[in-house]
Amino acid sequence: MLVVYGASGHGKVVADAARAAGLVVDGFLDDDETKHGTMFFGAPVLGGRGYLDAAPPLCIAWGIGSNRVREQVAAIVTAAGHTCETVIHPRAVVAPSARIGAGVVVFAGACINADAVVDDGAIVNTSAVIEHDCVLGAFCHVSPNAALGGAVRVGVRAHVGLGSSVIQGIAIGDDTTIGAGSVVVRDLPPGVVAYGVPARARR
């Protein structure tokens, strides 16, 4: 039984990708109790975290946009004995040598090239480019139309903003956020917000 955790706009896109890949979305989970028992995007909202304890084994696709919340809920889901489903849209291009972790979502038009590694729970959003030998940390998010050159390393829970470009060989620290449209030409430490052309750590 496949459910999408997150009855939200992001959850809709995940459900679309899953259905395009030939999967049946049996329902949604969401921690907003006002949504429980309603229909959302063609499937019922079954409940929230409390539903996990009594439910049969579930395959859960991540419709949660927040990196930190996605990581926290993943720990609860796996502790309850459920599994995390990887969803790859059929219009994404993923090299045979790329390694894709559990609970990853890859959206339409994305390209993941040779020997790239995408760790558990990461999001590779619409038309993002992940070049050869990149390593994406767990629960990070590469936004639509962002492009990573070869051998870029993106830290755990980091967020690469819309349309950003990162030149080859750059390391982006854990929990760092890169603003939309930025050009990253030097390494960025953990836990900063960086933006601009070239991108600089602002706080």
Side-chain angles (χ1 to χ4, degrees), residues 106-121:
V106 182
F107 289 114
C111 182
I112 302 174
N113 274 326
D115 286 332
V117 176
V118 182
D119 208 344
D120 296 349

Side-chain angles (χ1 to χ4, degrees), residues 90-184:
R91 293 202 307 274
V93 176
V94 179
S97 60
R99 287 174 285 161
I100 309 295
V104 169
V105 181
V106 182
F107 289 114
C111 182
I112 302 174
N113 274 326
D115 286 332
V117 176
V118 182
D119 208 344
D120 296 349
I123 299 169
V124 180
N125 220 313
T126 308
S127 298
V129 175
I130 312 300
E131 267 298 348
H132 63 87
D133 300 297
C134 285
V135 177
L136 273 57
F139 302 99
C140 75
H141 183 177
V142 180
S143 293
N145 291 308
L148 310 183
V152 167
R153 301 183 70 87
V154 177
V156 175
R157 296 177 302 275
H159 187 180
V160 180
L162 283 159
S164 295
S165 300
V166 183
I167 68 167
Q168 66 275 9
I170 292 295
I172 297 166
D174 295 349
D175 298 299
T176 282
T177 296
I178 297 169
S182 297
V183 177
V184 183

Side-chain angles (χ1 to χ4, degrees), residues 1-5 29 52 56-62 73-74 76-86 102-104:
M1 182 173 180
L2 175 64
V3 298
V4 174
Y5 208 122
L29 298 176
L52 296 171
L58 301 173
C59 295
I60 295 179
W62 295 117
V73 177
I76 294 167
V77 162
T78 54
H82 305 291
T83 58
C84 299
E85 181 76 16
T86 296
V104 169

